[in-house]
Amino acid sequence: MRAYLALGSNMGDREQYLRDAIRALHPLGIDASSVWETDPVGGPEGQGAFLNMVVALDTDKSPRELLNLAHSLEDAAGRVRTEHWGPRTLDVDVVMVGDLVVDEPDLVVPHPLWRERAFVVEPLREVADLALLPTLPDDLDTSGIRRVRGLWGEWDLSLRPADAVGWMDGWRGPWAVAGGWAIELFVGRPVREHHDMDVAVARADADRLHEQLAGWELYFPSPTAFVRWPGGSPLPDDEHQLWCKRDGVWTHEILFEDIRDGVLHYRRDPSITIPVDEAFLRTGDGIPYIAAHLQLLYKAKARTQRDQIDVAAAAPLMSPTQREFLAAYLRRRDPSHPWLALLD
């Protein structure tokens, strides 16, 4: 089931309380929205603005178990409940849990007020799956909310795939632009707004990254803390990505692909292999990018609005072989996957 939790804080180090909650939830596998600053709604006068966000998780936990999890996160943040809708270090609400309906004295699911709260609906819009998106209200007053900087610092949103070509100049080994930018390079036109830059390299080449990216700081986005990767140390087997920072700003993310003897092995399903010259393609002006059918394979799990935009733009341009590759995987894993209608 896809479940949604709303997080908020307006006391003390608001960002740190949200970071701590995200780290605690990370092992469950989450998709987190942007952070929004919100004028207080209800409660006593004079309290500070909230930072709000929504996380989505695919879980088999019951609504009651998620409520207990929410309370444990609040307790870890030292929340003291003295005033109704008063200031708090951390507030965690269970917004909805699949299609389940609960009406108990201390637990109502879906949350009875979620449709009235722009500070829930707008971040929810970023992580909602395709079934939920059409049900989100679009007539709420959003004047009291504003998207703010990320919990782990700012990304340079001015960067483009051509910048990645400069970073990787002289790289000995396969590499490609990944993520939403890869879809845009395939389609050949602007598709949607991008919030970061992803670059994929072979895991076997990772030890050369410090030399290639001299002047950058390289970090593992660990579930517990961002950990600097010092030069000269091996890449841990359980790390699959790096965040790269220069001059105090995040520039791009490095994704590690298992490439052996010219063949890419899909990490989430080792039975799937693709020759690297079919997995990493090039635009007419020479920018390498991950092929659309492979990139959409990575995106198929989340089913968010941005992923739907990507598949809708790419599917009509994919070859019959590429569409069948992706459709066969989806039929095997989830015969009801909504993308199948675009691929069959």
Side-chain angles (χ1 to χ4, degrees), residues 22 58 79 143 150 182 197 241 254 265 267 292 305 330 335 342:
I22 293 297
D58 294 307
R79 176 174 174 175
S143 61
M197 177 75 67
Q241 58 185 333
I254 298 287
H265 300 254
R267 178 171 58 84
Q305 183 177 34
L330 296 180
L342 296 170

Side-chain angles (χ1 to χ4, degrees), residues 195-253:
H195 299 291
D196 58 10
M197 177 75 67
D198 299 331
V199 172
V201 303
R203 172 175 284 275
D205 297 331
D207 59 350
R208 294 191 279 108
L209 280 169
H210 286 94
E211 178 183 357
Q212 184 73 27
L213 298 176
W216 271 265
E217 301 172 28
L218 307 182
Y219 290 86
F220 299 121
S222 164
T224 56
F226 274 65
V227 178
R228 183 96 176 253
W229 184 32
S233 63
L235 178 69
D237 291 340
D238 59 347
E239 295 290 354
H240 305 291
Q241 58 185 333
L242 286 170
W243 282 20
C244 306
K245 178 184 287 187
R246 184 172 59 179
D247 299 328
V249 179
W250 299 113
T251 56
H252 60 297
E253 182 177 346

Side-chain angles (χ1 to χ4, degrees), residues 10 40-47 50 83-88:
N10 77 331
V41 177
E45 295 183 0
Q47 59 179 315
F50 278 85
E83 295 179 276
H84 183 55
W85 288 351
R88 64 215 82 165

Side-chain angles (χ1 to χ4, degrees), residues 40-290:
V41 177
E45 295 183 0
Q47 59 179 315
F50 278 85
L51 292 183
N52 292 101
M53 61 189 306
V54 170
V55 298
L57 59 156
D58 294 307
T59 181
D60 57 2
K61 291 183 179 295
S62 69
R64 175 64 58 182
E65 289 172 321
L66 289 172
L67 179 64
N68 292 338
L69 173 61
H71 287 166
S72 70
L73 295 173
E74 293 173 343
D75 291 343
R79 176 174 174 175
V80 178
R81 296 170 175 80
T82 56
E83 295 179 276
H84 183 55
W85 288 351
R88 64 215 82 165
T89 55
L90 182 67
D91 182 43
V92 182
D93 289 329
V94 180
V95 179
M96 62 188 73
V97 185
D99 295 327
L100 299 181
V101 176
V102 179
D103 188 0
E104 299 175 359
D106 63 336
L107 176 62
V108 179
V109 176
H111 193 286
L113 298 178
W114 78 267
R115 290 181 176 276
E116 304 172 18
R117 295 174 167 176
F119 61 83
V120 173
V121 171
E122 292 310 307
L124 181 58
R125 202 181 303 279
E126 299 178 6
V127 296
D129 64 16
L130 300 182
L132 178 60
L133 271 173
T135 73
L136 301 183
D138 56 9
D139 57 352
L140 294 178
D141 179 6
T142 59
S143 61
I145 68 172
R146 50 214 165 262
R147 188 185 282 113
V148 296
R149 58 172 288 156
L151 293 178
W152 286 275
E154 290 298 319
W155 287 86
D156 186 344
L157 301 183
S158 70
L159 297 172
R160 297 295 182 267
D163 296 294
V165 174
W167 305 332
M168 302 304 290
D169 182 43
W171 181 255
R172 301 185 309 277
W175 75 274
V177 172
W181 278 112
I183 299 297
E184 191 158 306
L185 290 172
F186 169 69
V187 173
R189 61 172 175 81
V191 172
R192 60 173 172 83
E193 181 182 5
H194 301 277
H195 299 291
D196 58 10
M197 177 75 67
D198 299 331
V199 172
V201 303
R203 172 175 284 275
D205 297 331
D207 59 350
R208 294 191 279 108
L209 280 169
H210 286 94
E211 178 183 357
Q212 184 73 27
L213 298 176
W216 271 265
E217 301 172 28
L218 307 182
Y219 290 86
F220 299 121
S222 164
T224 56
F226 274 65
V227 178
R228 183 96 176 253
W229 184 32
S233 63
L235 178 69
D237 291 340
D238 59 347
E239 295 290 354
H240 305 291
Q241 58 185 333
L242 286 170
W243 282 20
C244 306
K245 178 184 287 187
R246 184 172 59 179
D247 299 328
V249 179
W250 299 113
T251 56
H252 60 297
E253 182 177 346
I254 298 287
L255 308 174
F256 297 112
E257 299 287 356
D258 181 8
I259 298 175
R260 291 170 274 148
D261 300 322
V263 176
L264 185 148
H265 300 254
Y266 182 53
R267 178 171 58 84
R268 295 176 183 169
D269 185 344
S271 70
I272 296 178
T273 59
I274 306 175
V276 73
D277 58 0
E278 296 178 14
F280 288 9
L281 305 179
R282 286 183 179 271
T283 63
D285 53 357
I287 300 178
Y289 66 94
I290 289 187

